[in-house]
């Protein structure tokens, strides 16, 4: 019997099966350093394409569980993996749901990545700042600057309707949200050793 290419696990099921899962956390290194599921390997969503051969081999040995903060990025990751023939599951509600049920998050004491703001918090700060800037420039310089605020508002509505976020994708490319190649290579080597 073939396993479905993409499924969703609840926190209860994930807790019961955690010992037999290979957990892949697709958040930024800073978010990962702030707390992740025990045993999770950090491969940010932007680096997933580079990791496909290693993930294919890992999926042959054990089921992959892909996690992020809320489940949206892990859903996108599972779709990418599925398009490449790699079966994976996503954690319903992400690490936020895991922690809200009282499950422990691993917070390493030594890491090269400092905990950073979660991506949704970075998006809220950026969007709010641009909206305020557009309104302020519209009042002080020219009303046309208010279109900047309207554009951000429209982007947020689209983001909610499509369950995607272009601003998060752009923020994820900033240097402080990126994985160093050495860290990614170390993670991939650890996955090959499982």
């Amino acid at each position: 019997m073939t396993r479905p290419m993409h499924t969703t696990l609840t926190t209860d099921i994930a807790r019961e099966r955690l010992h037999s899962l290979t957990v892949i956390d697709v958040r930024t290194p800073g978010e990962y350093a702030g707390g992740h599921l025990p045993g999770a390997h950090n491969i940010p969503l932007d680096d997933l394409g580079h990791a496909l051969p290693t993930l294919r081999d890992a999926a042959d040995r054990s089921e992959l569980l892909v996690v992020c903060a809320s489940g949206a990025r892990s859903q996108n990751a599972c779709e990418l993996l599925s398009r490449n023939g790699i079966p994976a599951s996503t954690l319903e509600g992400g690490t936020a749901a895991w922690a809200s049920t009282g499950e422990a998050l691993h917070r390493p004491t030594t890491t090269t990545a400092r905990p950073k703001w979660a991506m949704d918090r970075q998006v809220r700060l950026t969007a709010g700042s641009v909206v305020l800037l557009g309104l302020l420039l519209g009042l002080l310089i020219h009303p046309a600057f208010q279109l900047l605020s309207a554009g951000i508002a429209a982007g947020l509505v689209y983001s909610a309707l499509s369950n995607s976020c272009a601003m998060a994708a752009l923020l994820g490319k900033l240097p402080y949200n990126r994985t160093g190649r050495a860290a990614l290579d170390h993670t991939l080597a650890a996955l090959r050793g499982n």
Side-chain angles (χ1 to χ4, degrees):
M1 180 172 149
T2 342
R3 194 169 54 181
M5 292 302 287
H6 177 187
T7 59
T8 301
L9 300 182
T10 64
T11 54
D12 290 338
I13 293 172
R15 180 185 338 98
E16 292 170 10
R17 297 176 47 200
L18 191 61
H19 66 281
S20 66
L21 298 170
T22 299
V23 182
I24 306 298
D25 191 318
V26 295
R27 297 177 299 158
T28 65
E31 290 175 294
Y32 173 84
H36 54 269
L37 271 69
H41 300 275
N42 185 220
I43 302 176
L45 187 56
D46 285 347
D47 294 325
L48 210 58
H50 177 73
L52 288 174
T54 303
L55 291 172
R56 184 173 289 108
D57 292 342
D60 288 340
R61 292 189 305 275
S62 68
E63 183 179 354
L64 297 182
L65 176 63
V66 182
V67 299
C68 66
S70 66
R73 283 179 278 179
S74 61
Q75 180 79 22
N76 292 338
C78 282
E79 289 168 7
L80 172 67
L81 292 172
S82 180
R83 285 192 304 272
N84 285 278
I86 303 170
S89 297
T90 184
L91 179 63
E92 182 178 54
T95 54
W98 179 268
S100 73
T101 61
E103 296 298 325
L105 291 177
H106 179 71
R107 290 180 173 86
T109 54
T110 57
T111 180
T112 57
R114 295 182 324 234
K116 302 214 178 21
W117 284 6
M119 188 56 68
D120 66 318
R121 188 175 180 193
Q122 292 180 47
V123 167
R124 290 192 312 262
L125 174 70
T126 304
S129 298
V130 173
V131 166
L132 285 175
L133 179 64
L135 293 174
L136 184 62
L137 291 174
L139 288 172
L140 298 176
I141 298 177
H142 192 277
F145 279 107
Q146 292 176 354
L147 292 174
L148 183 62
S149 300
I152 293 296
L156 291 172
V157 169
Y158 177 77
S159 175
L161 293 174
S162 66
N163 196 25
S164 65
C165 186
M167 188 177 291
L170 288 173
L171 290 172
K173 295 184 184 316
L174 293 175
Y176 61 85
N177 282 327
R178 301 285 303 188
T179 303
R181 183 57 55 198
L184 180 60
D185 290 343
H186 178 73
T187 299
L188 296 177
L191 276 170
R192 286 196 262 325
N194 276 350

